[in-house]
Amino acid sequence: MSKYKVTRDGIRIYPLSEFSGMRTAGRVAAQILDDLCDHVQPGIKTIDIDELVRDRIREYGVKSSTIGYRGYGHASCISVNHVVCHGIPGPKVLQSGDILNIDVTITADGWFGDSSRMYAAGQIARKSSRLLDVTHKSLMLGIEAVKPGGFFGDIGHAIQKFAESHRMSVVRNFCGHGIGREFHLPPNVLHFGSRGTGAKLEPGMIFTIEPMINIGKPGTKILSDNWTAVTLDRSLSAQFEHTVGVTEDGYEIFTLSPGGLFHPTRHLN
């Protein structure tokens, strides 16, 4: 069994030696997302993408963390265009110009690997490409704020400042979360906030950072399926997610893309 301490905020602090389990789980989750890159094309159904995820989960000998979670029936969430998060795979056919987030969480030897990234179906509009760039940079700036002695508010501040400087908005209704040997743990990792606020960052903490950025206003609503969240103004939304751990001198990203494919257009340059 894993040995960990718990802060008074309920945040688990794992021995750094146990980061090896997160490296394995994160690498598999990232590899599955890499494997989808050549398949996300106009004409494919989102349910077919989910089947590909299931196939890879079986191939890599890990378990889906989402099938059966609170009654959810799929191995991925697929959120297209104005869907912010938790889109349910189904008969929807991707059209040229669509942007979509695919979110996959797996369990390997009891450790959870959680990551999501954006994909482009065919040629996308300039505003969509700009949204992807701003969202990706927001995530990376949030990660760069992770260091021992810092605060969770530093992460949210970095994300919010950059996104809003580009006249985009940060979704408030969803956040990152602690993770490790359980899927969702304290703390809530907000993607907005002020420096020096929230719990203090300590080596051994593990959590996701997963900003959702909208071209329009930040408001969202959940559809009648009780899962799918969409923008209230139907503006485009994007999200990138990494799982990170706090080290003695900074951070470690567990979900780096093995093929360098995390951003959907960077590898084409």
Side-chain angles (χ1 to χ4, degrees):
M1 290 294 293
S2 175
K3 296 180 180 180
Y4 54 83
K5 299 177 182 178
V6 181
T7 72
R8 59 184 174 182
D9 298 298
I11 304 170
R12 295 183 182 182
I13 299 179
Y14 293 91
L16 296 183
S17 60
E18 296 201 358
F19 276 17
S20 59
M22 288 301 297
R23 291 184 191 111
T24 298
R27 185 171 59 250
V28 174
Q31 184 62 61
I32 291 171
L33 292 174
D34 274 14
D35 292 346
L36 301 178
C37 290
D38 290 338
H39 299 278
V40 178
Q41 301 288 343
I44 192 171
K45 297 177 182 177
T46 57
I47 190 63
D48 293 333
I49 296 173
D50 189 69
E51 285 297 325
L52 289 168
V53 174
R54 290 174 187 253
D55 289 344
R56 292 301 188 273
I57 287 172
R58 286 191 290 267
E59 178 182 339
Y60 296 135
V62 295
K63 296 180 180 179
S64 169
S65 307
T66 56
I67 296 175
Y69 179 76
R70 297 183 179 178
Y72 193 72
H74 300 279
S76 64
C77 293
I78 302 178
S79 304
V80 184
N81 293 334
H82 71 288
V83 179
V84 176
C85 60
H86 302 157
I88 300 175
K92 180 177 179 58
V93 177
L94 295 183
Q95 305 297 315
S96 183
D98 284 344
I99 59 172
L100 58 151
N101 176 275
I102 303 178
D103 191 341
V104 170
T105 307
I106 60 90
T107 311
D109 295 325
W111 294 94
F112 285 75
D114 186 3
S115 185
S116 80
R117 66 178 77 161
M118 296 301 295
Y119 296 78
Q123 189 71 31
I124 62 174
R126 183 175 180 180
K127 68 176 181 179
S128 299
S129 180
R130 181 169 171 266
L131 172 62
L132 299 190
D133 286 341
V134 170
T135 307
H136 179 263
K137 182 65 174 179
S138 295
L139 168 65
M140 300 314 295
L141 288 172
I143 292 173
E144 289 171 13
V146 175
K147 60 183 178 181
F151 296 85
F152 278 93
D154 301 347
I155 300 170
H157 176 80
I159 292 168
Q160 180 182 8
K161 181 180 179 181
F162 182 76
E164 292 181 352
S165 75
H166 288 271
R167 299 184 179 181
M168 297 185 187
S169 63
V170 180
V171 171
R172 263 62 166 180
N173 296 339
F174 300 93
C175 59
H177 54 87
I179 195 169
R181 284 193 171 273
E182 293 183 41
F183 195 169
H184 292 100
L185 293 164
N188 290 334
V189 182
L190 304 182
H191 303 121
F192 59 95
S194 301
R195 288 195 187 105
T197 62
K200 184 174 286 189
L201 293 159
E202 299 182 43
M205 291 180 172
I206 303 172
F207 48 87
T208 70
I209 304 176
E210 45 185 298
M212 288 143 273
I213 307 299
N214 297 345
I215 282 182
K217 295 180 179 180
T220 65
K221 68 176 181 180
I222 298 177
L223 301 184
S224 59
D225 59 26
N226 293 319
W227 284 102
T228 308
V230 300
T231 54
L232 279 174
D233 59 8
R234 294 188 66 83
S235 63
L236 290 174
S237 185
Q239 178 188 22
F240 287 91
E241 175 186 12
H242 271 315
T243 297
V244 302
V246 185
T247 64
E248 294 288 356
D249 57 0
Y251 60 85
E252 179 175 351
I253 302 174
F254 299 121
T255 47
L256 289 173
S257 164
L261 305 176
F262 189 68
H263 190 292
T265 60
R266 296 287 168 85
H267 65 285
L268 299 177
N269 296 331

